[in-house]
Amino acid sequence: MGEFDATNEDIRHLDDGLPAEIARLKDAGELAHAVRLIEDELAAGARPELAACLRAERARMLRAPRDFCVTREQALAQIRAEWPDFGEGDLDALIDRGRIDWRLVEGEQRFLASFLDALRKYPEEVPGLSCPAPDRTEQLATIDEMRERGHAARRVRIRASIEAGEGVEIGADTPVRCWLPLPAACPQQADMRVVDATPGGIAAAEDAPQRTMYWEREGTRGFYVEYEYTICAPYADLWADAPAAPAPRVGMAPAPCLADLREDRPHVAFTPYLRALADRIFAGLAEGDALGRARAAYDYVTKNVDYRFQPAYVLLDGIADNCAKSLRGDCGVFALTFITLCRLGGVPARWQSGLYAAPDHVGPHDWAMFYVGGLGWLWADCSFGSAARRDGDEARRRFYFGNLGPWRMVANAQFEGNLAPACDVLRNDPFDNQVGEMVVGGHGLTSHDFAWKVELVSMEPAE
């Protein structure tokens, strides 16, 4: 790709906007034609102010067909394999209700590879599909433990790995760089220790905004790291008449700052729509009522937004604004929408992410923090809250306003934070780092080019 490669900084310019003739082609799904016009524009250099946006959009248009890879015919065949009577009209009805995300790719409607798993979250709407209910026995027992003891603590060991795919050529002298997430210092997490790792790794500072183990080697296809940490999740009942500050905590969070209240474009943007929405949901609440305003933001998001798997975030536009309009999102989209509404309401809010590390499942996850004077930093997991609402479990929905539970590994404290050392080419995920990044021969790999794995090695009670 050479001179037209995008950088992570280019992504910040997505809302600069494309020239109209290229934007129309993109909207029509004529991506190859749009890419040719972008390359002509970049080569001519007549509008240098648009160069960053053009490079970012080119990278997105080249990636979109890889994420949206399922044709309409293939989607129908996948559903009919379980639900033979499913028809074209049924598919259109699910699309119209926002249950299936899609894009036009070279004029053809395409879906995500994960579209069928997303549908299984709505069993009432897809009675012909297998939709097993999750077993929440241990989750509910842990919530009860937190309520009874005031906290829940665990000592956790996790092994994470990443490997370049077979289609990636790596010779003996090919330079390879890799970043794998590590647990970071934060209010609920401490005593981090690397147990084992691919030789030559360098751990970032414990307070890095996106903490990783970093390698720079030649001819290496895969990397791994195994680590331990202690997580102590405090409990706070934020629905009580006089909520008390949660305790204990194993670490400290920095005091709120201006960054916790401002826009962070293009995704945490104070758009006219979000301003109007904030005015409505905060109506009648005093400006200084941080807890009331955070609760109103949480109620709005968890009661109105439904879960839907998303493409790579690099393909998304204006995440918070689009979520508030579509009322669809995954865990990170939920978190950014809540953060944006909080900030619009004068409530400091920030990002946290890493892994959901439960006894029966480990996988990427995102959530939010918000600050209330006298109570300190607290947590909101709006995607878990929305799932509880979908299950009709109001007590569980309320729990995830203020609390998380000990089944987390926190690696990231900043959305769109830098890695250490910084990655100088476009990352697979320019915003977050949950599974790792690889750069081979100077080019960043996407999730289509590498395989990743996270495994829970052990989890024991801790104090």
Side-chain angles (χ1 to χ4, degrees):
M1 298 195 295
E3 62 186 298
F4 299 134
D5 281 355
T7 68
N8 299 298
E9 187 61 29
D10 289 336
I11 299 298
R12 291 186 177 274
H13 292 270
L14 283 172
D15 57 0
D16 291 354
L18 286 167
E21 62 274 14
I22 300 177
R24 284 192 288 269
L25 288 169
K26 178 187 174 185
D27 291 343
E30 302 293 337
L31 303 184
H33 190 174
V35 165
R36 289 199 301 273
L37 292 188
I38 286 175
E39 291 178 344
D40 291 345
E41 177 70 30
L42 288 169
R47 290 178 279 191
E49 298 80 9
L50 282 178
C53 178
L54 289 167
R55 288 192 297 265
E57 287 285 11
R58 178 186 185 275
R60 299 206 305 167
M61 291 182 206
L62 292 173
R63 175 153 184 174
R66 304 187 76 184
D67 277 35
F68 289 91
C69 57
V70 178
T71 67
R72 185 178 178 91
E73 291 72 25
Q74 290 168 336
L76 283 166
Q78 287 185 39
I79 298 175
R80 286 170 176 164
E82 296 182 38
W83 189 359
D85 295 334
F86 188 85
E88 296 262 3
D90 298 314
L91 181 62
D92 288 332
L94 289 171
I95 292 170
D96 289 347
R97 291 202 297 275
R99 296 305 185 210
I100 304 178
D101 196 6
W102 61 275
R103 298 288 191 280
L104 286 173
V105 176
E106 302 309 328
E108 182 181 34
Q109 190 176 45
R110 298 279 189 90
F111 309 101
L112 293 169
S114 60
F115 86 96
L116 196 55
D117 289 333
L119 285 179
R120 299 187 199 279
K121 294 187 176 293
Y122 303 95
E124 300 84 1
E125 299 182 36
V126 287
L129 293 179
S130 171
C131 303
D135 183 353
R136 301 198 183 277
T137 304
E138 289 195 69
Q139 180 186 11
L140 295 175
T142 302
I143 290 174
D144 288 341
E145 175 189 352
M146 290 180 63
R147 288 178 176 141
E148 292 169 7
R149 301 187 62 198
H151 71 282
R154 302 288 187 271
R155 182 68 179 171
V156 184
R157 180 181 288 198
I158 287 174
R159 182 183 176 92
S161 60
I162 190 170
E163 183 173 3
E166 293 181 0
V168 180
E169 294 185 8
I170 300 179
D173 59 352
T174 302
V176 180
R177 292 184 289 159
C178 177
W179 296 258
L180 279 175
L182 284 180
C186 61
Q188 70 268 46
Q189 194 166 266
D191 300 327
M192 291 77 66
R193 183 174 75 93
V194 173
V195 177
D196 190 17
T198 300
I202 301 172
E206 290 187 353
D207 62 349
Q210 294 193 1
R211 190 174 186 234
T212 61
M213 177 75 82
Y214 171 73
W215 295 265
E216 190 167 339
R217 298 166 59 102
E218 292 184 346
T220 303
R221 300 196 67 85
F223 301 84
Y224 73 91
V225 63
E226 189 169 314
Y227 52 78
E228 292 182 339
Y229 62 96
T230 297
I231 184 162
C232 182
Y235 175 68
D237 181 1
L238 299 189
W239 305 88
D241 292 336
R249 300 190 180 199
V250 295
M252 295 298 293
C257 61
L258 289 177
D260 300 317
L261 286 165
R262 69 187 181 200
E263 290 183 291
D264 191 8
R265 302 184 75 93
H267 294 304
V268 180
F270 298 167
T271 63
Y273 180 79
L274 285 172
R275 289 181 185 274
L277 176 60
D279 286 345
R280 173 161 65 87
I281 66 175
F282 299 141
L285 295 171
E287 289 188 9
D289 183 6
L291 180 57
R293 287 177 169 233
R295 185 187 293 126
Y298 179 82
D299 279 347
Y300 179 81
V301 173
T302 58
K303 290 181 177 181
N304 292 281
V305 181
D306 281 333
Y307 195 93
R308 185 174 69 189
F309 289 119
Q310 299 293 301
Y313 278 19
V314 72
L315 297 181
L316 298 181
D317 298 311
I319 288 177
D321 184 76
N322 275 291
C323 175
K325 290 173 179 173
S326 70
L327 301 179
R328 301 288 184 271
D330 68 1
C331 55
V333 172
F334 274 92
L336 285 175
T337 305
F338 172 79
I339 288 168
T340 306
L341 288 172
C342 280
R343 292 182 182 182
L344 278 164
V347 181
R350 60 176 52 158
W351 177 267
Q352 244 188 15
S353 71
L355 300 174
Y356 178 70
D360 62 344
H361 171 74
V362 183
H365 194 49
D366 313 315
W367 55 93
M369 298 181 72
F370 63 98
Y371 187 85
V372 175
L375 298 179
W377 284 103
L378 301 156
W379 294 269
D381 191 326
C382 293
S383 65
F384 275 34
S386 175
R389 180 263 303 169
R390 196 167 64 240
D391 292 345
D393 190 337
E394 176 64 7
R396 194 170 95 239
R397 187 191 75 86
R398 290 190 171 203
F399 172 83
Y400 286 107
F401 178 66
N403 308 287
L404 291 178
W407 293 351
R408 310 286 164 132
M409 189 285 284
V410 184
N412 309 303
Q414 183 180 332
F415 190 73
E416 206 165 355
N418 281 330
L419 301 176
C423 181
D424 56 358
V425 300
L426 185 64
R427 290 159 48 177
N428 172 61
D429 187 342
F431 309 111
D432 200 15
N433 184 40
Q434 300 162 313
V435 302
E437 296 281 348
M438 290 187 74
V439 176
V440 175
H443 294 285
L445 302 188
T446 74
S447 56
H448 301 282
D449 307 312
F450 62 73
W452 59 271
K453 186 177 183 180
V454 288
E455 305 167 85
L456 180 67
V457 178
S458 63
M459 177 182 290
E460 303 294 338
E463 290 299 332

